Amino acid sequence: MSSSTPAYYNADAVRQVLSWPLVNRAVETALVAIVKQDAETHPQSTSFACQPKRSFTACGKEPGRILFTMPAYVGNYSLESPKSPGDAQQSRSTLACKLVTSFRENPARDPPLPSIHAHVLLFDNQTGQLSAIMEGTDLTTWRTVSASLVATKYLYFRRFGSQAELERSINVAIVGCGVQGQLHAAAFCANFRVKQLNLYNRTLAKAQVLADELQRTLDTESETQVKACSSAHEACQDADVICIATYAKESVIQFADLKAKQGVHINAVGAGEVHFSELAPDIYHQAKVYVDCYTNAEAELVGLPAPITAEVGQIILSENYPKETEITIFQSMGAFLLSLLNYMTISVFFKVILKFTSHCFYLRHGLGGRLCGPGGS
């Protein structure tokens, strides 16, 4: 086999090494790298990202069929050693491109298919040769959820103290029980102290199925109470944190649905034609809005009913957290930012390679060099 043959890592190989600590560390690091660094306060040794706006390609005349293309370069970053957690690897750089298809009607097919499919292409950053291909559907889903987790940590918990995410119990509402809603529900229970988890879906039966499944799988010592709700108002009225992930074209949550006169954080991660259609304008008028990246937000959030306060990475760096009683919105851009995904992809690559050493995968010159392995695994 030619040494130029790119390695291929399928969904099973990726799925076996995904974990929330791995993904959350990578996402948090990437959100910081996205921020335009000031040369005086952040030396040149700081990691950086170069990413143009993502492109959209309509796939035929049928609505709801789109190809997204997201190239990016992430420079001068380091990650924990997979062999020695806590020890950083030497600095490296990565060139990659993520390709995502979003076909809204896939779940209605027989047999049903996911609406989102993704692949990540990694290139040799010295020669431009294709080094590896990784199935990225799970990475995309996990990355989106992890961005919500990191945003919640810094935009909600840290307003109450530096250890609040470890000490404070919260009520969480999940609005939309599709793939994203399901993983958001499980992830919040796995990462935070969730006292009450309310689930709302336009079809109550789907919310009830998820509630039953979560209640069965939660640790027997868990104090989390899970409830399927008949309305968004019922789900959100006592929630500290709300995660909404729908294709809704019209507002699902109104200001009157929120907890009165108390701080609330909302992760808006839906994939509708208008990114901010899920939340009513009266919520935006009362809230501070944060994004992952200004570049994509400026292009895709035209008409947003509120100004953008900051990137999440800026809050991580400045520690200028929201006030306790404020309403905050993390406006996730869905399948955004390969620069963010790059970090996670490289972390996963290290672990995949270690796990499958029996197949003689190896790295030359770090991940900037050529990755050689079988054409499929």
Side-chain angles (χ1 to χ4, degrees):
M1 180 180 64
S2 169
S3 61
S4 63
T5 301
Y8 178 75
Y9 296 95
N10 64 20
D12 288 338
V14 174
R15 199 172 292 129
Q16 289 183 49
V17 297
L18 285 173
S19 69
W20 289 120
L22 167 73
V23 178
N24 292 343
R25 282 196 304 270
V27 166
E28 186 170 322
T29 303
L31 286 170
V32 170
I34 291 164
V35 177
K36 291 182 174 64
Q37 307 284 4
D38 182 282
E40 294 183 2
T41 57
H42 300 284
Q44 293 182 352
S45 60
T46 304
S47 57
F48 64 94
C50 176
Q51 182 199 331
K53 298 173 184 177
R54 63 179 178 178
S55 68
F56 298 77
T57 302
C59 303
K61 296 182 179 180
E62 295 290 330
R65 297 181 179 182
I66 303 173
L67 168 67
F68 301 91
T69 309
M70 289 154 279
Y73 179 86
V74 184
N76 204 33
Y77 68 92
S78 60
L79 294 165
E80 285 188 0
S81 166
K83 293 181 179 180
S84 304
D87 294 337
Q89 295 278 354
Q90 65 181 14
S91 295
R92 63 185 75 252
S93 300
T94 300
L95 174 65
C97 184
K98 189 171 98 173
L99 305 175
V100 179
T101 56
S102 177
F103 280 51
R104 187 190 305 169
E105 301 303 321
N106 275 2
R109 294 180 181 274
D110 186 17
L113 294 171
S115 58
I116 302 293
H117 293 276
H119 283 80
V120 179
L121 309 182
L122 277 167
F123 300 90
D124 186 312
N125 71 319
Q126 298 298 317
T127 68
Q129 289 179 291
L130 180 63
S131 298
I133 302 170
M134 176 182 284
E135 288 198 30
T137 304
D138 284 333
L139 286 174
T140 296
T141 305
W142 278 62
R143 186 268 301 139
T144 301
V145 175
S146 180
S148 293
L149 293 171
V150 174
T152 301
K153 173 182 174 181
Y154 287 100
L155 299 180
Y156 181 76
F157 281 109
R158 287 298 173 91
R159 63 179 78 178
F160 300 105
S162 61
Q163 298 294 314
E165 66 269 20
L166 303 176
E167 303 167 350
R168 191 177 182 88
S169 296
I170 55 172
N171 296 333
V172 176
I174 304 293
V175 178
C177 296
V179 173
Q180 279 292 336
Q182 293 166 25
L183 193 55
H184 269 82
F188 270 76
C189 290
N191 286 272
F192 302 127
R193 299 177 62 180
V194 177
K195 180 170 53 178
Q196 178 69 42
L197 178 65
N198 289 343
L199 309 174
Y200 169 70
N201 198 71
R202 62 179 180 176
T203 53
L204 180 59
K206 190 169 186 177
Q208 188 60 59
V209 168
L210 178 58
D212 293 341
E213 180 181 341
L214 287 170
Q215 204 69 75
R216 286 195 302 270
T217 57
L218 284 173
D219 191 301
T220 54
E221 297 182 0
S222 172
E223 297 181 356
T224 303
Q225 298 298 311
V226 185
K227 180 183 179 182
C229 300
S230 59
S231 68
H233 176 77
E234 181 185 1
C236 298
Q237 61 183 343
D238 294 317
D240 303 298
V241 177
I242 299 168
C243 303
I244 179 166
T246 74
Y247 281 100
K249 296 181 180 180
E250 298 179 353
S251 302
V252 179
I253 304 175
Q254 316 294 323
F255 181 74
D257 297 326
L258 305 184
K259 190 168 58 171
K261 298 181 180 180
Q262 298 182 55
V264 176
H265 174 69
I266 303 172
N267 296 301
V269 298
E273 294 179 9
V274 178
H275 284 291
F276 48 87
S277 59
E278 301 174 299
L279 303 178
D282 60 357
I283 295 179
Y284 283 101
H285 295 159
Q286 301 292 327
K288 288 188 174 180
V289 180
Y290 300 82
V291 296
D292 30 62
C293 175
Y294 274 129
T295 301
N296 282 335
E298 289 171 352
E300 299 178 31
L301 295 180
V302 176
L304 185 73
I308 295 171
T309 300
E311 293 172 316
V312 175
Q314 292 175 301
I315 302 305
I316 296 173
L317 287 170
S318 69
E319 299 183 358
N320 184 21
Y321 306 123
K323 296 178 181 178
E324 290 188 9
T325 58
E326 286 183 329
I327 299 171
T328 54
I329 299 172
F330 170 53
Q331 195 73 49
S332 178
M333 301 304 295
F336 78 102
L337 288 178
L338 183 70
S339 57
L340 186 154
L341 184 61
N342 274 341
Y343 279 93
M344 186 169 64
T345 300
I346 302 309
S347 297
V348 172
F349 252 78
F350 274 120
K351 292 209 168 189
V352 168
I353 290 163
L354 286 175
K355 191 172 184 67
F356 293 94
T357 51
S358 60
H359 294 297
C360 301
F361 298 158
Y362 65 91
L363 285 171
R364 295 211 312 242
H365 313 300
L367 283 183
R370 180 174 297 120
L371 178 64
C372 300
S377 65

